[in-house]
Amino acid sequence: MFVFSPDGKLKTHDLLCPDCRIFWVFFGFDMVVISGADQVLQALWKSSDFFHGTVVMSMALWGTVLGSVYGHLPTDRFGRKKSLLFVGLLFSISAIGSAFANDPYTFAAARFIGGIGIGISTIAAPTYISEIAPASKRGQLVGLYQFFIVAGILSAFLSNYLFADFGANAWRWMLGIQALPALLFSVLTLQLTESSRTTTQTQASTQRIFDPKYRRILWLTFFIAFFNQFSGINAFLYYAPRIFELAHLSNNAAAISSIGVGVVNLIFTMLGLVLIDRFGRKSLLKIGGMGYVISLTLVSLYFGFDWTGSSVTYFFFAFIASHAIGQGAVIWVFISELFPNQLRASGQAFGSTVHWVLAALIPALMPWLFKVIGATSVFAIFLFMMLIQLFWIRYYVPETKGKTLEELNQELL
């Protein structure tokens, strides 16, 4: 659990609490586990590409949008701890409901509930950690949020692979297994200690994040979330097996390559955590941004010239590594640092909303876009957006490492 010493300072080793790790792993698992059921569910319910993408596959993401829009309300009113407890309950309901669904609408409703939980968590968890972490370790400690999400993503790919041979109902096992860690998290969350900044800030503040003086912070928050999703990361994670099959890999090779994606993601996220408080947020964004451009260029050429062979696997590994060490390691740290204490949850909600609206829209359109404009054009669009991101990083992104939240508040306003 999170513990404070008599002088009010956080004992930082307690940030590695087991209940937090369970929650973050579950978050990542829930995001990606649907990839194993993707084509099975489309065939089972005979859905069109458009319906399958926008309803069956993306309903959890639309729930995440709702959770991120309104998640600051319980986070501020009831506190970070109670909000996370509520999230655990939503995840449990979602896991059980989706596993027992017999039609696409019930399935989508259950996934929507889980998505609400994800949306709230992207506000409550980074806000909570940033408030209790010391400035010198804030990047690593908030970054642990991303690390365990990535661990959950790897767990999802592994779980899907292991359950793949369970017959026609394998997808039920893939989704239902989530209920166990969700219930355990709900129980263990009761041990958490509430953030001291939550209990001391002025709740009656009349300030709003859309006041003109916060314009710079809002644009920084908007663009880091915007470019995060226009890299194509969620589109790839949600449809990794399908994309590898489009690249002419066998079903087994596609499944194994998906596991490789999870392993690379985990390794480079760990590297990002080691470097984020040494090199800084801006440097990692630059490194990751250049990696995006190189890897997406190779992916676009692979599909454009109809290359064959396993090289596409390594191109995507490079893409995932670039994301993990750059945007993946930085985004939630960066957003959680920008806003003053009394507006941090609202600011986190704004960034999460932009992130999850795009995370819902882009993957929702992928099956349809692959059919209409083809994989080459899809990845070329992502490449173009990453070129623009490099310009934005170079000229507009400030460095935030090693400064207290209050110091940053003074510098950015």
Side-chain angles (χ1 to χ4, degrees):
M1 60 186 291
F2 295 88
V3 178
F4 291 84
S5 59
D7 63 359
K9 294 182 179 180
L10 176 72
K11 296 179 180 178
T12 57
H13 64 276
D14 291 317
L15 284 164
L16 298 176
C17 58
D19 42 326
C20 296
R21 286 179 291 194
I22 291 170
F23 163 63
W24 297 332
V25 168
F26 180 81
F27 177 178
F29 191 101
D30 184 75
M31 287 174 59
V32 176
V33 69
I34 189 67
S35 66
D38 169 21
Q39 297 180 76
V40 173
L41 292 181
Q42 185 171 13
L44 176 65
W45 290 321
K46 299 178 174 60
S47 305
S48 68
D49 287 333
F50 186 79
F51 179 86
H52 179 68
T54 57
V55 177
V56 177
M57 291 294 289
S58 298
M59 195 53 66
L61 293 171
W62 292 117
T64 302
V65 171
L66 181 64
S68 63
V69 170
Y70 295 105
H72 68 287
L73 298 178
T75 301
D76 278 337
R77 182 169 183 178
F78 302 112
R80 287 47 163 155
K81 173 183 174 179
K82 291 180 180 178
S83 297
L84 290 175
L85 183 62
F86 180 58
V87 165
L89 177 63
L90 293 178
F91 280 158
S92 301
I93 295 171
S94 176
I96 295 170
S98 57
F100 285 96
N102 290 311
D103 62 83
Y105 302 101
T106 303
F107 180 86
R111 293 284 293 168
F112 184 81
I113 291 171
I116 294 174
I118 291 177
I120 296 173
S121 73
T122 58
I123 299 167
T127 299
Y128 182 53
I129 303 168
S130 69
E131 289 178 341
I132 63 177
S136 62
K137 297 290 184 182
R138 191 173 57 242
Q140 291 182 20
L141 296 177
V142 178
L144 283 173
Y145 170 76
Q146 178 69 15
F147 171 77
F148 288 113
I149 289 173
V150 169
I153 290 172
L154 174 57
S155 299
F157 283 133
L158 285 170
S159 177
N160 288 347
Y161 181 77
L162 294 174
F163 283 124
D165 294 329
F166 272 48
N169 288 318
W171 64 273
R172 297 186 188 275
W173 289 96
M174 293 176 184
L175 293 156
I177 196 67
Q178 302 173 91
L180 297 178
L183 290 169
L184 180 59
F185 165 77
S186 297
V187 174
L188 293 176
T189 298
L190 295 172
Q191 302 177 45
L192 292 177
T193 303
E194 187 55 89
S195 162
S196 60
R197 281 187 168 100
T198 303
T199 57
T200 60
Q201 70 185 36
T202 302
Q203 299 295 330
S205 172
T206 59
Q207 294 181 326
R208 297 290 183 268
I209 63 170
F210 293 105
D211 286 351
K213 72 180 196 176
Y214 298 120
R215 185 175 296 131
R216 181 189 179 195
I217 296 175
L218 282 173
W219 279 118
L220 288 170
T221 302
F222 174 86
F223 278 113
I224 195 169
F226 176 89
F227 287 123
N228 182 284
Q229 285 306 301
F230 266 97
S231 69
I233 183 62
N234 268 23
F236 175 66
L237 291 177
Y238 268 66
Y239 297 102
R242 182 186 292 242
I243 291 171
F244 281 130
E245 287 183 20
L246 286 174
H248 312 298
L249 299 184
S250 66
N251 289 342
N252 189 58
I256 294 175
S257 295
S258 297
I259 294 173
V261 165
V263 172
V264 171
N265 201 1
L266 187 66
I267 291 172
F268 280 86
T269 297
M270 291 173 62
L271 181 59
L273 292 182
V274 172
L275 299 178
I276 192 168
D277 285 318
R278 297 182 185 180
F279 286 12
R281 291 55 160 152
K282 184 169 184 174
S283 295
L284 291 192
L285 286 174
K286 285 181 180 179
I287 293 170
M290 290 184 286
Y292 276 144
V293 169
I294 294 170
S295 58
L296 286 171
T297 297
L298 292 171
V299 168
S300 299
L301 291 173
Y302 183 95
F303 286 104
F305 289 97
D306 200 24
W307 293 347
T308 58
S310 61
S311 60
V312 70
T313 301
Y314 303 107
F315 299 160
F316 276 117
F317 285 175
F319 168 75
I320 288 294
S322 302
H323 175 81
I325 201 172
Q327 272 273 6
V330 171
I331 180 173
W332 300 119
V333 175
F334 189 70
I335 293 175
S336 72
E337 294 173 323
L338 296 178
F339 292 88
N341 293 333
Q342 70 274 17
L343 295 176
R344 185 160 295 109
S346 296
Q348 194 78 31
F350 173 75
S352 295
T353 298
V354 175
H355 177 277
W356 290 114
V357 165
L358 294 173
L361 281 173
I362 296 172
L365 295 174
M366 282 303 102
W368 179 75
L369 286 174
F370 283 139
K371 176 178 284 188
V372 173
I373 66 175
T376 304
S377 297
V378 168
F379 289 109
I381 291 171
F382 293 145
L383 168 60
F384 176 72
M385 297 307 297
M386 292 303 93
L387 287 169
I388 297 176
Q389 183 195 223
L390 281 177
F391 177 86
W392 173 73
I393 294 168
R394 170 66 177 82
Y395 291 103
Y396 294 100
V397 174
E399 184 53 73
T400 60
K401 73 167 183 174
K403 301 171 184 176
T404 68
L405 298 177
E406 289 74 19
E407 288 173 343
L408 286 172
N409 186 200
Q410 293 295 320
E411 289 182 17
L412 293 173
L413 295 181

